[in-house]
Amino acid sequence: MAGRSGRTVRDLRRGNRTAVLQRLYFDGPMSRYELAPATGLSGGSISNVVAELVEDGLVEEAGTVESDGGRPRTLLRVAPAGGHMIGVDVGETRVRVELFDLALTELARTERPLEHHGYDVEAVVGHIRDGITEVLADTDVTPEQLLGVGIGVPGIVARTPGEGAVVHGQTIGWDTVPLESLLRSACELPGSVPYFIDNGARTLGQAELWFGAGRGSRNAVVVLFGSGIGACLVTEEVEYGRALEWGHVTVRVRGRRCRCGAQGCLEAYAGAGALVDRWREAGGHPPEGADEETALAALLAAAHPEGDAEAEPVAVAVLEETAEYVGAGLSDLVNLFQPERILIGGWAGLQLGRHFLPAVRRYADAYALRHPAERVSIDVGRLGPDAVTVGAASLPLADFFAQGGRRPTPDREHEAANG
């Protein structure tokens, strides 16, 4: 029966379960006594919901705590074995697949390089399929225990009826790739296991905001630096973030050609490959045959040598110029969205951050409007290179919470994945 608000008793129960699960997940362990004011539910409702969640294997006891003059209170937490998620990062040099329990503790991982086939769609689908098979085989987790598979990809993700998630990855040569339907055909997973496919910057943003440096902020931007550049905006209105193709803002009219085909994009100056190319063109000497990560590390070592060695002027100049481009790009984000925090992540962002963060802040302040610039902090993310995979795994976790801890079923297979 639906009430005047249109919500049914089932909706209310699901909402109560969601409130308890989320509070225990992010703020637990907690006692039943603490859960009531924290969730706004009555003591009776808390007792009923907790009893259901314990029976379902989603909540378990986690010790006791002394109370004021009464019996010790039992602490509760979300049971790590209550569910499992797979997170996939379709990165720039490899496909990384990780299996997590409900507490997002890593249980198994595998990586497959992309050097030989690049972003060939069939190869990427095969890497994901084989990776899922491998991490499940390495544990006693069965496919039926999965709450979902989250996948972070480069490009724009759209959702279409019948095909699910479709990827538009102009910079990697993906033109309307029906990735979800391809994975459903290739992977031997039950039809009830949903796929959650989204932009890699958004999965990075969700990870940092749930578990990293962005936790507690109401309005933040997380930027990702690798070969490509992206960003994720999270506000109170957009809880799980909105991907921004920030790497393709124009920072120089008629500038360098970007791999998207346009000229003057930020990515054409501050993406890892572009940065190394600019160093070489300016007279630097990247290691012959090195991959981007190794070449970028060499650039940073040349600009910031250890001991008494002198810094290479060309490397210093390239990094300073890059800091200005990045600072100018960040000023656009500051002026447009007025975030509380900007967090820099991605493998290249983590390498670069500690070396040129002061210069980036200086240029962002110079180019942004004074009022919003005074109210934003710019820092490096805390979660390291696994942040995209963790964020990808948190996509099925978020859906699991929204469903009140109910497991995926065949009748909502596409509803969950394409929401």
Side-chain angles (χ1 to χ4, degrees):
M1 174 181 286
R4 292 183 179 179
S5 65
R7 299 186 69 194
T8 65
V9 172
R10 183 178 178 181
D11 292 333
L12 292 171
R13 288 180 61 192
R14 181 173 62 235
N16 291 347
R17 286 168 61 100
T18 295
V20 171
L21 279 172
Q22 288 185 321
R23 186 61 67 178
L24 287 177
Y25 194 85
F26 292 107
D27 300 320
M30 300 176 72
S31 68
R32 291 171 176 81
Y33 179 80
E34 293 171 309
L35 276 169
T39 60
L41 301 177
S42 68
S45 294
I46 289 294
S47 294
N48 292 335
V49 171
V50 168
E52 283 186 16
L53 294 174
V54 169
E55 184 178 353
D56 292 346
L58 298 178
V59 168
E60 63 185 17
E61 294 184 359
T64 59
V65 63
E66 294 295 328
S67 63
D68 297 332
R71 295 170 53 190
R73 296 194 181 108
T74 300
L75 295 176
L76 303 168
R77 69 173 183 178
V78 172
H84 299 83
M85 299 80 66
I86 287 177
V88 180
D89 175 12
V90 179
E92 294 152 343
T93 60
R94 64 183 67 85
V95 173
R96 176 181 292 144
V97 181
E98 297 184 45
L99 174 66
F100 301 89
D101 65 16
L102 202 57
L104 276 179
T105 299
E106 180 191 306
L107 303 179
R109 77 154 60 192
T110 184
E111 294 185 354
R112 283 168 163 72
L114 290 174
E115 289 97 344
H116 302 300
H117 301 286
Y119 284 105
D120 176 77
V121 174
E122 185 176 339
V124 170
V125 169
H127 286 330
I128 296 173
R129 176 198 62 217
D130 296 344
I132 290 173
T133 300
E134 183 176 330
V135 296
L136 289 174
D138 286 345
T139 65
D140 58 359
V141 177
T142 65
E144 290 74 19
Q145 291 176 284
L146 291 176
L147 303 179
V149 178
I151 305 170
V153 297
I156 299 169
V157 179
R159 290 165 177 81
T160 60
E163 289 188 322
V166 175
V167 182
H168 304 270
Q170 185 171 328
T171 60
I172 61 172
W174 283 18
D175 183 17
T176 318
V177 172
L179 185 59
E180 182 177 345
S181 62
L182 292 173
L183 289 172
R184 289 199 175 278
S185 298
C187 298
E188 297 179 0
L189 294 178
S192 60
V193 176
Y195 290 85
F196 299 83
I197 301 170
D198 217 315
N199 177 271
R202 181 176 179 271
T203 69
L204 169 69
Q206 180 153 322
E208 285 288 352
L209 285 153
W210 272 22
F211 310 108
R215 189 170 181 183
S217 60
R218 296 171 300 168
N219 186 348
V221 176
V222 181
V223 298
L224 182 153
F225 284 87
S227 295
I229 295 175
C232 173
L233 168 70
V234 178
T235 68
E236 292 179 312
E237 293 76 27
V238 188
E239 182 179 4
Y240 299 120
R242 183 172 78 240
L244 306 172
E245 288 295 333
W246 177 61
H248 302 287
V249 298
T250 302
V251 294
R252 188 166 181 174
V253 177
R254 293 187 294 277
R256 294 174 61 88
R257 182 72 62 181
C258 179
R259 58 180 183 166
C260 75
Q263 288 180 271
C265 295
L266 176 61
E267 187 173 297
Y269 291 89
L275 217 171
V276 171
D277 288 343
R278 288 172 49 230
W279 180 34
R280 181 185 296 108
E281 292 163 10
H285 300 284
E288 289 296 329
D291 60 27
E292 285 184 355
E293 294 187 39
T294 303
L296 183 59
L299 167 59
L300 293 171
H304 303 278
E306 296 181 357
D308 297 328
E310 292 188 6
E312 178 190 296
V314 168
V316 171
V318 168
L319 285 179
E320 182 69 20
E321 185 181 44
T322 303
E324 183 168 9
Y325 285 125
V326 172
L330 291 181
S331 74
D332 290 338
L333 297 176
V334 171
N335 291 341
L336 287 170
F337 303 114
Q338 300 182 28
E340 297 172 13
R341 304 178 197 177
I342 293 177
L343 303 174
I344 296 174
W347 67 264
L350 296 174
Q351 281 195 47
L352 289 166
R354 63 188 181 90
H355 292 288
F356 81 158
L357 194 55
V360 167
R361 288 173 176 147
R362 186 174 68 250
Y363 285 118
D365 284 345
Y367 285 107
L369 293 170
R370 184 169 60 253
H371 181 77
E374 290 173 346
R375 287 159 176 76
V376 64
S377 63
I378 302 175
D379 294 294
V380 177
R382 293 178 187 165
L383 296 183
D386 289 345
V388 172
T389 319
V390 172
S394 72
L395 298 178
L397 180 60
D399 177 75
F400 183 63
F401 287 153
Q403 299 300 326
R406 303 296 187 189
R407 289 186 170 278
T409 55
D411 64 319
R412 72 175 192 88
E413 164 190 336
H414 291 291
E415 173 190 347
N418 302 322

